[in-house]
Coordinates of all heavy atoms in Angstrom, one line a residue:
M1277 N -94.1 -28.0 -1.7 CA -93.0 -28.2 -2.6 C -91.8 -27.4 -2.0 O -92.0 -26.2 -1.7 CB -93.3 -27.9 -4.0 CG -92.1 -28.0 -4.9 SD -92.6 -27.8 -6.7 CE -93.5 -26.4 -6.7
S1278 N -90.7 -28.0 -1.8 CA -89.6 -27.3 -1.3 C -88.9 -26.4 -2.4 O -89.2 -26.5 -3.6 CB -88.5 -28.3 -0.8 OG -87.8 -28.9 -1.9
H1279 N -88.1 -25.4 -1.9 CA -87.5 -24.5 -2.8 C -86.6 -25.3 -3.8 O -86.5 -25.0 -5.0 CB -86.6 -23.5 -2.0 CG -85.8 -22.6 -2.8 ND1 -86.4 -21.6 -3.6 CD2 -84.5 -22.5 -3.1 CE1 -85.5 -21.0 -4.3 NE2 -84.3 -21.5 -4.0
T1280 N -85.9 -26.4 -3.4 CA -85.0 -27.2 -4.2 C -85.8 -27.8 -5.3 O -85.5 -27.9 -6.5 CB -84.3 -28.2 -3.4 OG1 -83.5 -27.5 -2.4 CG2 -83.3 -29.0 -4.2
Q1281 N -87.0 -28.4 -4.9 CA -87.9 -29.1 -5.9 C -88.4 -28.0 -6.9 O -88.4 -28.3 -8.1 CB -89.0 -29.7 -5.2 CG -88.6 -31.0 -4.5 CD -89.9 -31.5 -3.6 OE1 -90.5 -30.7 -3.1 NE2 -89.9 -32.8 -3.7
S1282 N -88.7 -26.8 -6.4 CA -89.3 -25.8 -7.3 C -88.2 -25.4 -8.3 O -88.5 -25.2 -9.5 CB -89.7 -24.6 -6.4 OG -90.0 -23.5 -7.2
T1283 N -87.0 -25.2 -7.8 CA -85.9 -24.9 -8.7 C -85.6 -25.9 -9.7 O -85.5 -25.7 -11.0 CB -84.6 -24.6 -7.9 OG1 -84.9 -23.5 -7.0 CG2 -83.4 -24.2 -8.8
A1284 N -85.6 -27.2 -9.3 CA -85.4 -28.3 -10.3 C -86.5 -28.4 -11.3 O -86.3 -28.6 -12.4 CB -85.3 -29.6 -9.4
L1285 N -87.7 -28.2 -10.9 CA -88.9 -28.2 -11.8 C -88.8 -27.0 -12.8 O -89.0 -27.3 -14.0 CB -90.2 -28.1 -11.0 CG -91.5 -28.1 -11.8 CD1 -91.5 -29.4 -12.7 CD2 -92.7 -28.0 -11.0
R1286 N -88.5 -25.9 -12.4 CA -88.3 -24.7 -13.2 C -87.2 -25.0 -14.3 O -87.3 -24.7 -15.5 CB -88.0 -23.5 -12.5 CG -89.2 -22.9 -11.8 CD -88.9 -21.7 -11.0 NE -90.2 -21.0 -10.6 CZ -91.0 -20.3 -11.4 NH1 -90.6 -20.1 -12.7 NH2 -92.1 -19.9 -11.0
L1287 N -86.1 -25.5 -13.8 CA -85.0 -25.8 -14.8 C -85.4 -26.8 -15.7 O -85.0 -26.8 -16.9 CB -83.8 -26.2 -14.0 CG -83.0 -25.0 -13.2 CD1 -81.9 -25.6 -12.3 CD2 -82.5 -24.0 -14.1
S1288 N -86.0 -27.9 -15.3 CA -86.5 -28.9 -16.2 C -87.4 -28.4 -17.2 O -87.3 -28.7 -18.4 CB -87.2 -30.0 -15.3 OG -87.7 -31.0 -16.2
A1289 N -88.4 -27.5 -16.8 CA -89.3 -26.9 -17.7 C -88.6 -26.0 -18.7 O -88.9 -26.1 -20.0 CB -90.4 -26.1 -16.9
Q1290 N -87.7 -25.2 -18.3 CA -87.0 -24.3 -19.2 C -86.2 -25.2 -20.3 O -86.2 -24.8 -21.5 CB -86.0 -23.4 -18.5 CG -86.7 -22.4 -17.6 CD -87.5 -21.4 -18.4 OE1 -87.0 -20.9 -19.5 NE2 -88.6 -21.1 -18.0
R1291 N -85.6 -26.3 -19.9 CA -84.9 -27.1 -20.8 C -85.9 -27.8 -21.8 O -85.6 -27.7 -23.0 CB -84.1 -28.2 -20.1 CG -83.4 -29.2 -20.9 CD -82.9 -30.5 -20.2 NE -83.9 -31.1 -19.4 CZ -84.9 -31.8 -19.8 NH1 -85.2 -32.0 -21.1 NH2 -85.8 -32.3 -18.9
A1292 N -86.9 -28.3 -21.3 CA -87.9 -29.0 -22.2 C -88.6 -28.1 -23.1 O -88.9 -28.5 -24.2 CB -88.9 -29.7 -21.3
L1293 N -88.9 -26.8 -22.7 CA -89.6 -25.9 -23.5 C -88.8 -25.2 -24.6 O -89.4 -24.5 -25.4 CB -90.3 -24.9 -22.6 CG -91.5 -25.5 -21.8 CD1 -91.9 -24.6 -20.7 CD2 -92.7 -26.0 -22.7
L1294 N -87.4 -25.2 -24.5 CA -86.7 -24.5 -25.5 C -87.0 -25.0 -26.9 O -87.0 -26.2 -27.2 CB -85.1 -24.8 -25.2 CG -84.5 -24.0 -24.1 CD1 -83.1 -24.5 -23.9 CD2 -84.5 -22.5 -24.5
G1295 N -87.4 -24.1 -27.7 CA -87.8 -24.4 -29.1 C -89.1 -25.0 -29.3 O -89.5 -25.4 -30.4
A1296 N -89.9 -25.2 -28.2 CA -91.2 -25.9 -28.3 C -92.4 -25.0 -28.2 O -93.5 -25.4 -28.2 CB -91.3 -27.0 -27.2
I1297 N -92.2 -23.7 -28.0 CA -93.3 -22.8 -27.7 C -93.8 -22.1 -29.0 O -93.0 -21.2 -29.5 CB -92.9 -21.8 -26.6 CG1 -92.6 -22.5 -25.3 CG2 -94.1 -20.8 -26.3 CD1 -92.0 -21.6 -24.2
P1298 N -94.9 -22.4 -29.5 CA -95.4 -21.8 -30.7 C -95.9 -20.3 -30.4 O -96.2 -19.9 -29.2 CB -96.6 -22.6 -31.2 CG -97.0 -23.3 -29.9 CD -95.8 -23.4 -29.0
G1299 N -96.0 -19.5 -31.4 CA -96.4 -18.1 -31.3 C -97.7 -17.8 -30.6 O -97.9 -16.7 -30.1
D1300 N -98.6 -18.7 -30.7 CA -100.0 -18.5 -30.2 C -100.1 -18.7 -28.7 O -101.1 -18.4 -28.0 CB -101.0 -19.4 -30.9 CG -101.3 -19.0 -32.3 OD1 -101.2 -17.8 -32.6 OD2 -101.7 -19.9 -33.1
V1301 N -99.0 -19.2 -28.0 CA -99.0 -19.5 -26.6 C -98.7 -18.2 -25.9 O -97.8 -17.4 -26.2 CB -97.9 -20.5 -26.2 CG1 -97.8 -20.6 -24.7 CG2 -98.3 -21.9 -26.8
R1302 N -99.6 -17.8 -24.9 CA -99.4 -16.6 -24.1 C -98.8 -16.9 -22.8 O -98.1 -16.0 -22.3 CB -100.9 -16.0 -23.9 CG -101.6 -15.7 -25.2 CD -103.0 -15.2 -24.9 NE -102.9 -13.9 -24.2 CZ -103.8 -13.4 -23.4 NH1 -104.9 -14.0 -23.3 NH2 -103.7 -12.2 -22.8
L1303 N -99.0 -18.0 -22.2 CA -98.5 -18.3 -20.9 C -98.4 -19.8 -20.6 O -99.2 -20.6 -21.2 CB -99.6 -17.8 -19.8 CG -99.3 -18.1 -18.4 CD1 -98.2 -17.2 -17.8 CD2 -100.6 -17.9 -17.6
I1304 N -97.3 -20.2 -20.0 CA -97.2 -21.6 -19.5 C -96.8 -21.6 -18.0 O -95.9 -20.8 -17.6 CB -96.0 -22.3 -20.3 CG1 -96.3 -22.3 -21.8 CG2 -95.8 -23.7 -19.7 CD1 -95.3 -22.9 -22.6
A1305 N -97.6 -22.4 -17.3 CA -97.3 -22.5 -15.9 C -97.1 -24.0 -15.5 O -97.8 -24.9 -16.1 CB -98.5 -21.9 -15.0
I1306 N -96.2 -24.3 -14.6 CA -95.9 -25.6 -14.2 C -96.0 -25.7 -12.7 O -95.2 -24.9 -12.0 CB -94.5 -26.0 -14.6 CG1 -94.1 -25.7 -16.1 CG2 -94.2 -27.5 -14.3 CD1 -94.8 -26.5 -17.1
T1307 N -96.8 -26.5 -12.1 CA -96.9 -26.6 -10.7 C -96.8 -28.1 -10.3 O -97.1 -29.0 -11.0 CB -98.3 -26.0 -10.2 OG1 -99.3 -26.7 -10.8 CG2 -98.3 -24.5 -10.4
D1308 N -96.4 -28.3 -9.0 CA -96.1 -29.6 -8.5 C -96.7 -29.6 -7.1 O -96.4 -28.9 -6.2 CB -94.7 -29.9 -8.4 CG -94.3 -31.3 -7.8 OD1 -95.2 -32.0 -7.5 OD2 -93.1 -31.5 -7.7
D1309 N -97.7 -30.5 -6.8 CA -98.3 -30.6 -5.5 C -97.8 -31.7 -4.7 O -98.2 -32.0 -3.6 CB -99.9 -30.8 -5.6 CG -100.3 -32.1 -6.2 OD1 -99.4 -33.0 -6.5 OD2 -101.5 -32.2 -6.4
G1310 N -96.7 -32.3 -5.2 CA -96.0 -33.4 -4.5 C -96.5 -34.8 -5.0 O -95.8 -35.8 -4.8
H1311 N -97.5 -34.8 -5.8 CA -98.0 -36.1 -6.4 C -98.2 -35.9 -7.9 O -97.9 -36.8 -8.6 CB -99.4 -36.4 -5.8 CG -99.3 -36.6 -4.3 ND1 -98.8 -37.7 -3.7 CD2 -99.8 -35.8 -3.3 CE1 -98.9 -37.5 -2.4 NE2 -99.6 -36.5 -2.2
T1312 N -98.6 -34.7 -8.3 CA -98.8 -34.5 -9.7 C -98.2 -33.2 -10.2 O -98.3 -32.2 -9.5 CB -100.4 -34.4 -10.0 OG1 -101.0 -35.6 -9.4 CG2 -100.8 -34.2 -11.4
I1313 N -97.6 -33.2 -11.4 CA -97.1 -32.0 -12.0 C -98.2 -31.6 -13.0 O -98.6 -32.4 -13.9 CB -95.8 -32.3 -12.7 CG1 -94.7 -32.5 -11.6 CG2 -95.4 -31.1 -13.6 CD1 -93.3 -32.8 -12.1
D1314 N -98.7 -30.4 -12.9 CA -99.6 -29.8 -13.8 C -98.9 -28.8 -14.8 O -98.2 -28.0 -14.3 CB -100.7 -29.0 -13.1 CG -101.7 -29.9 -12.4 OD1 -102.5 -30.5 -13.1 OD2 -101.7 -30.0 -11.1
V1315 N -99.2 -29.0 -16.1 CA -98.6 -28.2 -17.1 C -99.8 -27.5 -17.7 O -100.7 -28.1 -18.3 CB -97.8 -29.0 -18.2 CG1 -97.3 -28.0 -19.3 CG2 -96.7 -29.7 -17.6
T1316 N -99.9 -26.2 -17.5 CA -101.0 -25.4 -18.0 C -100.5 -24.5 -19.1 O -99.6 -23.7 -18.9 CB -101.7 -24.6 -16.9 OG1 -102.1 -25.5 -15.8 CG2 -102.9 -23.8 -17.3
V1317 N -101.2 -24.5 -20.3 CA -100.9 -23.6 -21.3 C -102.0 -22.8 -21.6 O -103.2 -23.3 -21.7 CB -100.5 -24.5 -22.6 CG1 -100.3 -23.6 -23.8 CG2 -99.3 -25.3 -22.4
I1318 N -101.9 -21.5 -21.8 CA -102.9 -20.6 -22.1 C -102.5 -20.0 -23.5 O -101.4 -19.5 -23.7 CB -103.1 -19.4 -21.1 CG1 -103.6 -20.0 -19.8 CG2 -104.1 -18.4 -21.7 CD1 -103.7 -19.0 -18.7
A1319 N -103.4 -20.2 -24.5 CA -103.1 -19.8 -25.8 C -104.1 -18.8 -26.3 O -105.2 -18.6 -25.8 CB -103.2 -21.0 -26.8
A1320 N -103.7 -18.0 -27.3 CA -104.6 -17.0 -27.9 C -105.7 -17.6 -28.8 O -106.7 -17.0 -29.0 CB -103.7 -16.0 -28.7
R1321 N -105.4 -18.8 -29.3 CA -106.3 -19.4 -30.2 C -106.0 -21.0 -30.1 O -105.0 -21.3 -29.5 CB -106.3 -19.0 -31.6 CG -105.0 -19.2 -32.3 CD -105.0 -18.6 -33.7 NE -105.2 -17.2 -33.7 CZ -104.3 -16.2 -33.6 NH1 -103.0 -16.6 -33.4 NH2 -104.6 -14.9 -33.6
A1322 N -106.9 -21.8 -30.6 CA -106.7 -23.2 -30.5 C -105.4 -23.5 -31.2 O -105.1 -23.1 -32.3 CB -107.9 -24.0 -31.1
L1323 N -104.6 -24.4 -30.6 CA -103.3 -24.8 -31.2 C -103.5 -25.9 -32.2 O -104.4 -26.8 -32.1 CB -102.4 -25.4 -30.1 CG -102.0 -24.4 -29.0 CD1 -101.2 -25.1 -27.9 CD2 -101.3 -23.2 -29.5
D1324 N -102.7 -25.8 -33.3 CA -102.8 -26.9 -34.3 C -102.2 -28.1 -33.8 O -101.5 -28.1 -32.7 CB -102.2 -26.4 -35.7 CG -100.7 -26.1 -35.6 OD1 -100.0 -26.7 -34.7 OD2 -100.2 -25.3 -36.5
D1325 N -102.3 -29.2 -34.5 CA -101.8 -30.5 -34.0 C -100.3 -30.5 -33.7 O -99.8 -31.1 -32.7 CB -102.2 -31.7 -34.9 CG -103.7 -32.0 -35.0 OD1 -104.4 -31.6 -34.0 OD2 -104.1 -32.6 -36.0
A1326 N -99.5 -29.8 -34.6 CA -98.1 -29.8 -34.5 C -97.6 -29.1 -33.2 O -96.8 -29.5 -32.5 CB -97.4 -29.3 -35.7
A1327 N -98.3 -27.9 -33.0 CA -98.0 -27.1 -31.8 C -98.4 -27.9 -30.5 O -97.6 -27.9 -29.5 CB -98.7 -25.8 -31.9
A1328 N -99.5 -28.5 -30.5 CA -100.0 -29.2 -29.3 C -99.1 -30.4 -29.1 O -98.8 -30.7 -27.9 CB -101.4 -29.7 -29.5
E1329 N -98.6 -31.1 -30.1 CA -97.7 -32.2 -29.9 C -96.4 -31.8 -29.4 O -95.8 -32.4 -28.5 CB -97.5 -32.9 -31.2 CG -96.6 -34.2 -31.1 CD -96.4 -35.0 -32.4 OE1 -97.0 -34.6 -33.4 OE2 -95.7 -35.9 -32.3
A1330 N -95.8 -30.6 -29.9 CA -94.5 -30.1 -29.4 C -94.6 -29.8 -27.9 O -93.7 -30.1 -27.1 CB -94.2 -28.9 -30.2
L1331 N -95.7 -29.2 -27.5 CA -95.9 -28.9 -26.0 C -96.1 -30.2 -25.2 O -95.6 -30.3 -24.1 CB -97.0 -27.9 -25.8 CG -96.7 -26.5 -26.4 CD1 -98.1 -25.7 -26.3 CD2 -95.7 -25.9 -25.5
S1332 N -96.8 -31.1 -25.8 CA -97.0 -32.4 -25.0 C -95.7 -33.2 -24.9 O -95.4 -33.8 -23.8 CB -98.0 -33.3 -25.8 OG -98.3 -34.4 -25.1
I1333 N -94.8 -33.1 -25.9 CA -93.5 -33.8 -25.9 C -92.7 -33.1 -24.8 O -92.0 -33.8 -24.0 CB -92.8 -33.7 -27.2 CG1 -93.4 -34.7 -28.2 CG2 -91.3 -34.1 -27.1 CD1 -93.0 -34.5 -29.6
A1334 N -92.7 -31.7 -24.7 CA -92.0 -31.0 -23.6 C -92.5 -31.5 -22.3 O -91.7 -31.6 -21.4 CB -92.2 -29.5 -23.8
A1335 N -93.8 -31.6 -22.1 CA -94.4 -32.0 -20.8 C -93.9 -33.4 -20.5 O -93.5 -33.6 -19.3 CB -95.9 -32.0 -20.9
T1336 N -93.8 -34.3 -21.5 CA -93.2 -35.6 -21.2 C -91.8 -35.6 -20.8 O -91.4 -36.3 -19.9 CB -93.4 -36.5 -22.5 OG1 -94.8 -36.5 -22.9 CG2 -92.9 -37.9 -22.3
E1337 N -91.0 -34.7 -21.3 CA -89.6 -34.5 -21.0 C -89.5 -34.0 -19.5 O -88.6 -34.4 -18.8 CB -88.9 -33.5 -21.9 CG -88.7 -34.1 -23.3 CD -88.1 -33.2 -24.3 OE1 -87.6 -32.1 -23.9 OE2 -88.0 -33.5 -25.5
I1338 N -90.4 -33.1 -19.1 CA -90.4 -32.6 -17.7 C -90.7 -33.8 -16.8 O -90.0 -34.0 -15.8 CB -91.5 -31.5 -17.6 CG1 -91.0 -30.3 -18.4 CG2 -91.7 -31.1 -16.1 CD1 -92.1 -29.2 -18.6
I1339 N -91.8 -34.5 -17.1 CA -92.2 -35.6 -16.1 C -91.1 -36.7 -16.1 O -91.0 -37.3 -15.1 CB -93.6 -36.1 -16.5 CG1 -94.2 -36.8 -15.3 CG2 -93.6 -37.0 -17.7 CD1 -94.6 -36.0 -14.2
A1340 N -90.3 -36.8 -17.1 CA -89.3 -37.8 -17.1 C -88.2 -37.5 -16.0 O -87.6 -38.4 -15.5 CB -88.6 -37.9 -18.5
D1341 N -88.1 -36.2 -15.7 CA -87.2 -35.8 -14.6 C -87.7 -36.1 -13.3 O -87.0 -35.9 -12.3 CB -86.8 -34.3 -14.8 CG -86.0 -34.1 -16.0 OD1 -85.3 -35.0 -16.5 OD2 -86.0 -32.9 -16.5
F1342 N -89.1 -36.4 -13.2 CA -89.7 -36.6 -11.9 C -90.5 -37.9 -11.9 O -91.8 -37.9 -12.0 CB -90.6 -35.5 -11.5 CG -89.8 -34.1 -11.4 CD1 -89.7 -33.3 -12.6 CD2 -89.3 -33.7 -10.3 CE1 -88.9 -32.2 -12.5 CE2 -88.6 -32.6 -10.2 CZ -88.4 -31.8 -11.3
P1343 N -89.9 -39.1 -12.0 CA -90.6 -40.3 -12.2 C -91.6 -40.7 -11.1 O -92.4 -41.6 -11.4 CB -89.4 -41.4 -12.3 CG -88.3 -40.7 -11.6 CD -88.5 -39.2 -11.8
D1344 N -91.5 -40.1 -10.0 CA -92.5 -40.4 -8.9 C -93.7 -39.5 -9.0 O -94.6 -39.6 -8.1 CB -91.8 -40.2 -7.5 CG -91.3 -38.8 -7.3 OD1 -91.0 -38.1 -8.3 OD2 -91.3 -38.3 -6.2
R1345 N -93.9 -38.7 -10.0 CA -95.0 -37.9 -10.2 C -95.9 -38.3 -11.4 O -95.5 -38.9 -12.3 CB -94.6 -36.4 -10.5 CG -93.7 -35.8 -9.5 CD -94.5 -35.5 -8.2 NE -93.8 -34.5 -7.3 CZ -92.9 -34.8 -6.4 NH1 -92.5 -36.0 -6.3 NH2 -92.3 -33.8 -5.7
L1346 N -97.2 -37.9 -11.3 CA -98.1 -38.1 -12.4 C -98.1 -36.8 -13.2 O -97.6 -35.7 -12.7 CB -99.5 -38.3 -11.8 CG -99.7 -39.6 -11.0 CD1 -101.1 -39.7 -10.5 CD2 -99.4 -40.8 -11.8
L1347 N -98.6 -36.8 -14.4 CA -98.6 -35.6 -15.2 C -100.1 -35.3 -15.6 O -100.8 -36.2 -16.0 CB -97.8 -35.9 -16.5 CG -97.8 -34.8 -17.6 CD1 -97.2 -33.5 -17.1 CD2 -97.2 -35.3 -18.8
R1348 N -100.4 -34.0 -15.5 CA -101.7 -33.5 -16.0 C -101.4 -32.3 -16.9 O -100.6 -31.4 -16.6 CB -102.6 -33.1 -14.9 CG -103.7 -34.0 -14.5 CD -104.7 -33.3 -13.6 NE -104.1 -32.6 -12.5 CZ -104.4 -32.8 -11.2 NH1 -105.2 -33.7 -10.9 NH2 -103.8 -32.1 -10.3
E1349 N -102.0 -32.4 -18.1 CA -101.8 -31.3 -19.1 C -103.1 -30.6 -19.3 O -104.1 -31.2 -19.5 CB -101.3 -31.8 -20.4 CG -99.9 -32.5 -20.4 CD -99.5 -33.1 -21.7 OE1 -99.3 -32.3 -22.7 OE2 -99.4 -34.3 -21.8
H1350 N -103.0 -29.2 -19.3 CA -104.2 -28.4 -19.6 C -103.8 -27.4 -20.7 O -102.8 -26.8 -20.6 CB -104.6 -27.7 -18.3 CG -104.6 -28.4 -17.1 ND1 -105.7 -29.1 -16.7 CD2 -103.7 -28.7 -16.1 CE1 -105.5 -29.8 -15.5 NE2 -104.2 -29.5 -15.2
C1351 N -104.8 -27.2 -21.6 CA -104.6 -26.1 -22.6 C -105.9 -25.4 -22.7 O -107.0 -26.0 -22.9 CB -104.2 -26.7 -23.9 SG -103.8 -25.4 -25.1
H1352 N -105.8 -24.0 -22.5 CA -107.0 -23.2 -22.5 C -106.8 -22.1 -23.5 O -105.7 -21.6 -23.7 CB -107.3 -22.5 -21.2 CG -107.3 -23.5 -20.0 ND1 -108.4 -24.3 -19.7 CD2 -106.4 -23.8 -19.1 CE1 -108.1 -25.0 -18.6 NE2 -106.9 -24.7 -18.3
V1353 N -107.9 -21.7 -24.2 CA -107.8 -20.5 -25.0 C -108.4 -19.4 -24.2 O -109.5 -19.5 -23.7 CB -108.6 -20.8 -26.3 CG1 -108.7 -19.5 -27.1 CG2 -108.0 -21.9 -27.1
E1354 N -107.6 -18.3 -24.1 CA -108.1 -17.1 -23.4 C -107.6 -15.9 -24.2 O -106.4 -15.8 -24.6 CB -107.6 -17.0 -22.0 CG -108.2 -18.1 -21.1 CD -107.7 -18.0 -19.6 OE1 -107.3 -16.9 -19.2 OE2 -107.8 -19.0 -18.9
T1355 N -108.5 -14.9 -24.4 CA -108.2 -13.8 -25.2 C -108.2 -12.5 -24.4 O -107.7 -11.5 -24.8 CB -109.1 -13.6 -26.4 OG1 -110.5 -13.6 -25.9 CG2 -109.0 -14.8 -27.4
G1356 N -108.7 -12.6 -23.1 CA -108.7 -11.4 -22.3 C -107.4 -11.2 -21.6 O -106.4 -12.0 -21.8
P1357 N -107.3 -10.3 -20.7 CA -106.1 -10.0 -20.0 C -105.7 -11.2 -19.1 O -106.6 -12.0 -18.6 CB -106.5 -8.9 -19.0 CG -107.7 -8.2 -19.6 CD -108.4 -9.3 -20.3
L1358 N -104.4 -11.5 -19.0 CA -103.9 -12.5 -18.2 C -104.1 -12.2 -16.7 O -104.1 -11.0 -16.3 CB -102.4 -12.8 -18.5 CG -102.2 -13.4 -19.9 CD1 -100.6 -13.4 -20.1 CD2 -102.8 -14.8 -20.1
A1359 N -104.2 -13.2 -15.9 CA -104.4 -13.0 -14.4 C -103.2 -12.2 -13.8 O -102.1 -12.3 -14.3 CB -104.5 -14.3 -13.7
S1360 N -103.5 -11.4 -12.8 CA -102.5 -10.8 -12.0 C -102.3 -11.6 -10.7 O -103.2 -11.6 -9.9 CB -102.9 -9.4 -11.6 OG -103.1 -8.6 -12.8
E1361 N -101.2 -12.4 -10.7 CA -101.0 -13.3 -9.6 C -99.5 -13.4 -9.4 O -98.7 -12.9 -10.1 CB -101.6 -14.7 -9.8 CG -101.2 -15.3 -11.1 CD -102.0 -16.6 -11.6 OE1 -103.1 -16.7 -11.1 OE2 -101.5 -17.3 -12.5
N1362 N -99.2 -14.0 -8.2 CA -97.8 -14.2 -7.9 C -97.2 -15.2 -8.9 O -97.5 -16.4 -8.8 CB -97.6 -14.6 -6.5 CG -96.1 -14.8 -6.1 OD1 -95.3 -15.3 -6.9 ND2 -95.8 -14.3 -4.9
V1363 N -96.4 -14.8 -9.8 CA -95.9 -15.7 -10.9 C -95.1 -16.8 -10.4 O -95.1 -17.9 -10.9 CB -95.2 -14.9 -12.0 CG1 -96.1 -13.9 -12.6 CG2 -93.9 -14.3 -11.5
L1364 N -94.4 -16.6 -9.3 CA -93.5 -17.7 -8.7 C -94.5 -18.8 -8.0 O -94.2 -20.0 -8.2 CB -92.5 -17.2 -7.8 CG -91.4 -16.3 -8.4 CD1 -90.5 -15.8 -7.4 CD2 -90.7 -17.1 -9.5
T1365 N -95.4 -18.3 -7.2 CA -96.3 -19.2 -6.6 C -97.2 -20.0 -7.5 O -97.4 -21.2 -7.3 CB -97.2 -18.4 -5.6 OG1 -96.5 -17.7 -4.7 CG2 -98.2 -19.3 -4.9
H1366 N -97.5 -19.4 -8.6 CA -98.4 -20.1 -9.6 C -97.6 -20.7 -10.7 O -98.2 -21.2 -11.7 CB -99.4 -19.1 -10.2 CG -100.4 -18.7 -9.1 ND1 -101.0 -19.6 -8.2 CD2 -101.0 -17.5 -8.9 CE1 -101.8 -18.9 -7.4 NE2 -101.8 -17.6 -7.8
G1367 N -96.3 -20.8 -10.6 CA -95.5 -21.6 -11.5 C -95.2 -21.1 -12.9 O -94.9 -21.9 -13.8
W1368 N -95.4 -19.8 -13.1 CA -95.3 -19.3 -14.5 C -93.8 -19.5 -14.9 O -92.9 -19.1 -14.2 CB -95.5 -17.8 -14.5 CG -97.0 -17.4 -14.3 CD1 -98.0 -18.2 -13.8 CD2 -97.6 -16.2 -14.7 NE1 -99.1 -17.5 -13.8 CE2 -99.0 -16.3 -14.4 CE3 -97.1 -15.1 -15.3 CZ2 -99.9 -15.2 -14.6 CZ3 -98.0 -14.0 -15.6 CH2 -99.3 -14.1 -15.2
V1369 N -93.6 -20.1 -16.1 CA -92.3 -20.3 -16.6 C -92.1 -19.6 -18.0 O -91.0 -19.5 -18.5 CB -91.9 -21.8 -16.8 CG1 -91.7 -22.5 -15.4 CG2 -92.8 -22.6 -17.7
Y1370 N -93.3 -19.2 -18.5 CA -93.2 -18.4 -19.8 C -94.4 -17.5 -19.9 O -95.5 -17.9 -19.5 CB -93.3 -19.4 -21.0 CG -93.5 -18.7 -22.3 CD1 -92.4 -18.1 -22.9 CD2 -94.7 -18.6 -22.9 CE1 -92.5 -17.5 -24.2 CE2 -94.9 -18.0 -24.1 CZ -93.8 -17.4 -24.7 OH -94.0 -16.7 -25.9
R1371 N -94.2 -16.3 -20.3 CA -95.3 -15.3 -20.6 C -94.8 -14.5 -21.8 O -93.8 -14.0 -21.9 CB -95.5 -14.4 -19.4 CG -96.6 -13.4 -19.7 CD -96.9 -12.6 -18.6 NE -98.0 -11.6 -19.0 CZ -98.1 -10.4 -18.7 NH1 -97.1 -9.8 -17.9 NH2 -99.0 -9.6 -19.1
R1372 N -95.7 -14.6 -22.8 CA -95.5 -13.8 -24.1 C -95.6 -12.4 -23.8 O -96.5 -11.9 -23.0 CB -96.5 -14.3 -25.1 CG -96.4 -13.6 -26.4 CD -97.4 -14.2 -27.4 NE -98.7 -13.6 -27.1 CZ -99.8 -13.9 -27.9 NH1 -99.7 -14.8 -28.9 NH2 -101.0 -13.2 -27.7
Y1373 N -94.8 -11.5 -24.5 CA -94.9 -10.1 -24.4 C -96.2 -9.7 -25.1 O -96.4 -10.1 -26.2 CB -93.7 -9.4 -25.1 CG -93.9 -7.9 -25.1 CD1 -93.6 -7.2 -24.0 CD2 -94.2 -7.3 -26.3 CE1 -93.8 -5.8 -24.0 CE2 -94.4 -5.9 -26.3 CZ -94.1 -5.1 -25.1 OH -94.3 -3.8 -25.2
E1374 N -97.0 -8.9 -24.4 CA -98.2 -8.4 -25.1 C -98.4 -7.0 -24.8 O -98.1 -6.5 -23.7 CB -99.4 -9.2 -24.5 CG -99.4 -10.7 -24.7 CD -100.6 -11.4 -24.3 OE1 -101.4 -10.9 -23.6 OE2 -100.7 -12.6 -24.7

């Protein structure tokens, strides 16, 4: 993915996620392999239906900006420490203060 695509994806994600992130979400990462955009949500506990729907709508808004891509959504519950990785390489767009 080029720098321009990466910037466009990050801006799209920021716009779509405004007001859509519930308090139980710890991390959101968005990646693009050139064919598929992956939206990964890590939550402190299972999300209720309204929270899951808000995030799914945000993912749909992101993919609408990239009509040539497929969309994959992942939601995991993790209570341990978050990974230590290069946040830009791994597409982090949101991390809750802990």
Side-chain angles (χ1 to χ4, degrees):
M1277 175 171 46
S1278 76
H1279 178 70
T1280 302
Q1281 288 172 319
S1282 174
T1283 301
L1285 181 59
R1286 286 180 167 283
L1287 289 172
S1288 176
Q1290 291 296 318
R1291 179 195 44 78
L1293 290 166
L1294 280 174
I1297 302 173
D1300 289 332
V1301 171
R1302 300 178 66 201
L1303 173 76
I1304 299 175
I1306 313 287
T1307 58
D1308 179 3
D1309 67 6
H1311 302 287
T1312 303
I1313 292 176
D1314 284 288
V1315 178
T1316 302
V1317 174
I1318 297 176
R1321 64 185 58 85
L1323 299 176
D1324 65 25
D1325 290 342
E1329 182 178 358
L1331 290 168
S1332 187
I1333 289 169
T1336 301
E1337 290 176 8
I1338 294 166
I1339 200 67
D1341 291 336
F1342 301 89
D1344 60 332
R1345 302 291 199 271
L1346 300 174
L1347 173 65
R1348 255 191 317 234
E1349 297 177 66
H1350 313 273
C1351 187
H1352 309 283
V1353 174
E1354 292 184 21
T1355 56
L1358 294 172
S1360 295
E1361 55 194 15
N1362 183 319
V1363 299
L1364 293 177
T1365 302
H1366 292 320
W1368 291 21
V1369 294
Y1370 171 81
R1371 181 176 178 219
R1372 179 177 82 178
Y1373 175 77
E1374 300 184 347

